[in-house]
Amino acid sequence: LEELGPIFVKFGQILSTRRDLLPPDIADDLASLQDRVLPFPGEQARAVVEKALGAPIAELYASFDETPLASASIAQVHAATLHDGRAVVVKVLRPTIRVQIEADLALLHAMAGIAERRLSAAERIRPRAIVTEIERTLRDELELLREGANGSLLRRNFQDSPDLYVPEMIWSHSKDGALTMERVY
């Protein structure tokens, strides 16, 4: 599934939650797609961050660990330290993710069209509607600034909560392609 691309990884992630349909060993293997997808090289992550934020890593961070803490189908997360000493994590989009997703979506739309023409139950299944929903979800996941805005809103809503702590978004170090937030252990 990893070799087939991000949409297929997403499918595996969803399937991993259906332990009622799969043997435990297969569900466990698929669960690794949640945060243990094969990472892309750290130097590529550096390049994505530098391009997104418009400055060299050394100007942006006191340290930036090229070994990711976690790696998923859309992005991976790197530990870093700001120059003021705060520990942060940087979520970095995969370098070619947008191109891959567009190709995968084109394939899914084509398959949905074929399914609608060939399947007698297509009206009930609604393949094009399913693909449209997948497309919306994937496009939302590519929007790191939206994710950061949602995180900021969540942080504000739970500011005084004894039950939930939401990390601070570091907006000075966040743009399309790289999202920096407070590291929470």
Side-chain angles (χ1 to χ4, degrees):
L1 292 175
E2 285 182 67
E3 290 175 13
L4 291 172
I7 287 181
F8 296 93
V9 170
K10 285 284 168 208
F11 175 69
Q13 290 171 342
I14 292 165
L15 203 53
S16 75
T17 66
R18 295 302 311 266
R19 293 184 177 267
D20 57 321
L21 300 176
L22 299 171
D25 60 328
I26 293 175
D28 289 343
D29 283 346
L30 290 174
S32 72
L33 295 173
Q34 300 293 342
D35 63 359
R36 292 188 301 278
V37 174
L38 186 66
F40 59 92
E43 59 270 8
Q44 285 183 346
R46 277 179 166 275
V48 169
V49 172
E50 289 177 341
K51 182 179 179 189
L53 300 180
I57 286 285
E59 285 182 26
L60 298 163
Y61 305 97
S63 69
F64 182 89
D65 189 349
E66 288 191 1
T67 303
L69 295 171
S71 182
S73 60
I74 303 286
Q76 63 190 34
V77 177
H78 292 264
T81 307
L82 297 177
H83 287 292
D84 66 8
R86 287 185 289 171
V88 295
V89 293
V90 184
K91 185 172 185 178
V92 184
L93 285 182
R94 289 183 172 276
T96 60
I97 193 65
R98 292 182 194 280
V99 173
Q100 287 178 298
I101 285 180
E102 290 306 320
D104 288 350
L105 287 171
L107 176 62
L108 285 179
H109 279 291
M111 290 170 54
I114 292 168
E116 281 192 351
R117 289 189 303 275
R118 304 274 182 180
L119 295 177
S120 60
E123 188 174 301
R124 187 173 45 91
I125 298 170
R126 301 177 34 227
R128 287 182 200 254
I130 292 169
V131 172
T132 299
E133 181 62 22
I134 291 168
E135 181 175 15
R136 186 191 61 74
T137 300
L138 281 170
R139 290 194 193 285
D140 284 351
E141 284 192 42
L142 292 173
E143 301 300 326
L144 296 184
L145 293 179
R146 179 183 296 172
E147 179 180 331
N150 289 336
S152 287
L153 180 61
L154 193 64
R155 179 179 171 82
R156 234 182 350 261
N157 289 340
F158 287 92
Q159 188 106 25
D160 299 319
S161 172
D163 301 317
L164 180 67
Y165 183 83
V166 179
E168 175 188 1
M169 300 301 138
I170 312 299
W171 290 110
S172 60
H173 290 67
S174 298
K175 293 262 192 311
D176 187 35
L179 176 66
T180 303
M181 66 188 82
E182 172 188 10
R183 185 169 184 181
V184 178
Y185 294 90

